[in-house]
Amino acid sequence: MGSEGGEIIMKKAPRFLCLHGFRTSGEILKKQITTKWPSSVLQKLDLVFLDAPFPALGKSEVEGIFDPPYYEWFQFNKEFTEYTNYGNCLEFIEDYIFKHGPFDGLLGFSQGAILSGALPGLQTKGLALTRVPKIKFLIIVGGAKFRSPTVADQAYSCPIQIPSLHFLGEHDFLKPHGLELLEHYVDPVIIHHPKGHTIPRIIDEKALEVMLNFLDKIQKVVAEDRESLTQLEAVV
C-alpha cells in the first residue's frame, strides 16, 4: 500500500491459477505451497487452486501422505506422446478462467506445470484459451515439455516471451525435460534446489531473493496494467 497525491493506492497481488500434479488435487497443492513457501512470498501472490476435471484412474503416489480425492488433467501413454482427454482438459481450464477470471498468470506443478508451460504458446496460436485474456506470467515447478511432435510444434515453435520463473530440482527425474522447456522461453528466471520432484521449500537466501525480485517485477507490470485500464475506463 502506498500514497500518491494524497490518495491511498492498494497494490493487488498478481492472481495465479494453480494447476496441481498428476493424481493429486488443488487442495494438496495448496497445502504443499502454503506450508513450504514463506509469508514474504505468499503475501505477494493471490493463488486460486483448481481440481483437474478427471478423477484419478489409478493409484496416486501421494496416498498415505495426503488424503483423497485425487484428480488428473489428462491421460497418457508410457512414452508421453499420446494423450486422452487433452482437448477436454484445455476446454475445462478455459471455461474456468472465463467464469472465474481474470487471472494474471499460471502456476503449475508436474502435470500441471507441463500444461502451464504449453498454454501461452497454444494461446498465441489461437489453439487454446481463445475466450480469455492473455496469460502474462508463469511459475513452473517440476515442469517438462509435451513429447508429442504435433503438440510440441503447436506449443513451442515460437519463443515464449512472458516473464517466467522455473524451479529445477537437482534430483528431479523431470529435470532434463525441464531444461529442454527452458530453451523455448525468453529470459526465464531459474531457481535450482537440491530436492527431487516436489514443491521445494524456499529457505536458501539467494533463492528467496530471486523469487521476491521476480514477484516485485510482475507486481509492477500488474499495477501498470490496472492503472492504464482505470484511466481508459475514466475516459470512456
Side-chain angles (χ1 to χ4, degrees):
M1 183 172 71
S3 62
E4 183 176 324
E7 292 186 27
I8 293 183
I9 302 169
M10 295 293 293
K11 286 187 177 180
K12 291 186 67 176
R15 194 165 187 244
F16 278 77
L17 181 61
C18 303
L19 309 183
H20 62 79
F22 185 60
R23 295 180 180 169
T24 64
S25 69
E27 182 62 27
I28 291 172
L29 182 58
K30 181 179 180 179
K31 289 179 179 177
Q32 291 173 314
I33 287 177
T34 57
T35 58
K36 290 185 173 184
W37 289 3
S39 58
S40 58
V41 167
L42 296 175
Q43 68 186 7
K44 293 179 179 290
L45 292 165
D46 179 8
L47 303 177
V48 176
F49 297 86
L50 177 63
D51 287 331
F54 304 104
L57 297 181
K59 182 178 175 60
S60 170
E61 292 188 0
V62 301
E63 284 185 27
I65 304 172
F66 294 103
D67 293 332
Y70 310 121
Y71 303 92
E72 54 196 47
W73 295 101
F74 55 88
Q75 298 78 43
F76 47 89
N77 64 350
K78 185 177 180 180
E79 293 77 24
F80 202 66
T81 55
E82 298 178 5
Y83 318 114
T84 303
N85 288 315
Y86 165 76
N88 293 333
C89 167
L90 299 185
E91 291 176 5
F92 174 81
I93 294 172
E94 179 170 2
D95 189 57
Y96 185 87
I97 295 175
F98 183 79
K99 292 177 179 177
H100 302 282
F103 292 93
D104 298 301
L106 297 174
L107 182 156
F109 171 63
S110 194
Q111 190 183 33
I114 294 171
L115 275 169
S116 298
L119 279 167
L122 294 171
Q123 187 180 38
T124 297
K125 287 198 169 185
L127 299 173
L129 307 187
T130 57
R131 297 183 296 150
V132 299
K134 294 292 185 183
I135 298 167
K136 296 194 288 283
F137 317 114
L138 285 179
I139 298 176
I140 302 293
V141 186
K145 288 177 58 176
F146 277 102
R147 309 305 293 176
S148 160
T150 300
V151 176
D153 181 65
Q154 293 171 342
Y156 316 117
S157 59
C158 297
I160 301 170
Q161 302 189 37
I162 64 175
S164 62
L165 174 64
H166 303 252
F167 286 84
L168 294 176
E170 184 62 32
H171 299 289
D172 188 348
F173 71 97
L174 283 182
K175 182 181 178 182
H177 305 295
L179 289 170
E180 287 182 9
L181 179 65
L182 284 174
E183 296 173 4
H184 301 283
Y185 283 80
V186 176
D187 296 327
V189 177
I190 305 167
I191 292 179
H192 295 273
H193 65 88
K195 301 297 183 181
H197 193 62
T198 185
I199 300 289
R201 296 185 183 277
I202 307 176
I203 54 177
D204 177 78
E205 288 187 11
K206 179 61 178 177
L208 180 59
E209 179 184 1
V210 169
M211 186 161 195
L212 291 176
N213 286 342
F214 175 81
L215 296 179
D216 286 341
K217 174 184 175 181
I218 68 173
Q219 169 65 70
K220 183 177 180 181
V221 174
V222 169
E224 290 173 349
D225 287 349
R226 287 172 180 163
E227 182 179 356
S228 298
L229 180 60
T230 300
Q231 292 174 347
L232 179 61
E233 291 173 344
V235 172
V236 174

